[in-house]
Structures are given as C-alpha cells and as structure tokens.
Amino acid sequence: MIPQPRRTAATEGGGVPAGDGEVRRFVELSVPLTGFGAYDLYGTGMGALYLETARTQVGREQFAGFLDCWQDVLARGEGPSALSVVHREIARAVVYLWYTGFWPALAPAAHAELRRSEANKEVAASAESYPEGLVWRTFDGHPAGAKPPGFATWACEQDPLPSPERIVGQLKASRGSDPITPAPVYDPAAYGAGQVDDGVPLYLLSGPRVSRAVAPSEVSAADVQPPESLQAGE
C-alpha cells in the first residue's frame, strides 16, 4: 500500500501550502516574539503548519498585514507596544501557538474587528503540535501522555538553566547583526483587558490576565457574579 501524505492545515481546506520563503519569514519574525532562536523554532517542524493555522484563523490578508507591520516595527528597533491593539492580540496568539500548539480565543473586540467567520475558540493546530510546544523546553519538561522521558532519566542530574547572557547570545546569533529589543513591561490595558466599551465583562474576556491575582480555576462561571476585585479589573 502506498502511504498517503499526512493532511494538515497547510494542505487541506483549500488553502495554498506555504512556500519555503514564507515559512522562513514567519519563523524569523517569530524569534523576537517567542524568545527562542530560529534553530529551535525550525526544530519543532511546525513552521508551515502554524503559518497556515494563523492564516486560517485571522485571514490571509489580515495576517500578511500583521507580519508587514511587525517587520516594520522591528526595523525601527521597537517592540510589540508599537503595534495596534488588534495586531498585539494577533502577536499574543502567535506566541501562544508556538508555546502550546493551540490557537487561542482572541479578545472579542479584536475578533469582531477582524470580521472572521471562524468560531472564536481555542483550537489545536494538530495532534503533533502539542508535544512540540515550546513551553516544555522552558523548564526541561515533557508533555504528559505524549512524550515521556526515557528510562532512568530521573536518576540523571539536569543541566543548569542558561544564563541571561547566554540567551541573549543565542538570539543575537540567530538574528545576525540585528539589534534585540527588550520586551516591554506587559500592559493589560494594551490588550483591552481594562476596557469594557464593548460591553464584555472583564472576567469573561479571553486571553491572559496577568493583573489578576487569582488562578483561572477560581474565576466565577458566567452565570455567577464575580468578586468586586475582578469586576474592577484589579
């Protein structure tokens, strides 16, 4: 029997497979967003799939516009704070995708402005993307139920975590002579986390809420009135 090619978001659904040049650009622009070098991003084998996943969720033209704006921002030596609110939300989703293998639900206002027919919910890029998430590499862990450690690895001492100087050196090596812009301090309001203009309660907005000092599991259900601290966005 002749093996059939694996169907992915890059080959099914009528989408045009991403070319090598497009994937290379996407990976290079993802380096400053993820904090990982191009070598690590290519090593996941998910570049083409993640690019097509983002295009499916955001729209080909909209995502191309985001990449163009992000490239211009980097050329000026600036960071994500120079992007528009919608583009910052797309950038957050791209980082989430690389780290977890899932495309997250966007902030309702951003999803509405993109005018997409795709449901605004978290979706897996593929079955293979979960074990390839960058999050496991940040603490030398392994994805539960998908990629267990080898026999007797528990008896081996782990390598020490890399120093900040080493991480900066790796990023410089992956980006050539381009300057590395330090990541700005996270501002929840920049993602609309502190806005209620669209009528969506703060505690129901999607995306990370770094300003919230409670675990996600402790957040009230939609039909339960949340604590005053969550309503105030504190």
Side-chain angles (χ1 to χ4, degrees):
M1 179 181 295
I2 300 177
Q4 298 297 316
R6 181 168 59 90
R7 300 178 66 188
T8 67
T11 59
E12 62 184 355
V16 179
D20 291 342
E22 295 173 316
V23 175
R24 184 181 302 109
R25 182 187 183 218
F26 172 64
V27 169
E28 290 176 351
L29 292 176
S30 295
V31 168
L33 287 174
T34 63
F36 280 83
Y39 177 86
D40 296 299
L41 300 186
Y42 279 122
T44 65
M46 296 287 115
L49 176 63
Y50 287 170
L51 175 57
E52 289 303 322
T53 298
R55 286 172 168 174
T56 300
Q57 296 298 322
V58 177
R60 297 183 70 89
E61 293 184 2
Q62 292 93 324
F63 193 69
F66 159 73
L67 292 179
D68 290 341
C69 290
W70 179 229
Q71 187 171 18
D72 292 340
V73 166
L74 291 176
R76 299 195 303 266
E78 299 179 281
S81 59
L83 293 171
S84 67
V85 174
V86 173
H87 282 169
R88 282 198 295 271
E89 185 66 7
I90 296 176
R92 178 189 69 83
V94 170
V95 174
Y96 191 96
L97 179 63
W98 277 108
Y99 271 78
T100 67
F102 288 75
W103 179 269
L106 300 177
H111 185 264
E113 186 167 338
L114 290 170
R115 304 180 68 84
R116 295 296 296 157
S117 60
E118 298 289 336
N120 189 25
K121 63 180 181 179
E122 184 171 349
V123 295
S126 73
E128 294 83 1
S129 62
Y130 165 67
E132 295 299 335
L134 297 177
V135 63
W136 311 112
R137 306 187 185 191
T138 61
F139 60 96
D140 291 330
H142 62 89
K147 198 174 182 181
F151 179 77
T153 53
W154 57 84
C156 301
E157 184 177 355
Q158 290 187 338
D159 295 333
L161 294 176
S163 64
E165 292 75 15
R166 180 182 175 186
I167 295 176
V168 171
Q170 291 176 339
L171 287 174
K172 286 183 177 179
S174 66
R175 296 188 63 192
S177 59
D178 292 343
I180 297 178
T181 305
V185 177
Y186 176 79
D187 179 12
Y191 289 88
Q195 301 174 1
V196 292
D197 296 340
D198 55 3
V200 180
L202 295 175
Y203 67 99
L204 292 182
L205 284 174
S206 59
R209 285 292 308 278
V210 178
S211 61
R212 183 172 58 205
V214 296
S217 59
E218 298 179 9
V219 177
S220 306
D223 58 347
V224 178
Q225 193 68 12
E228 294 183 359
S229 60
L230 293 183
Q231 294 185 42
E234 297 178 356

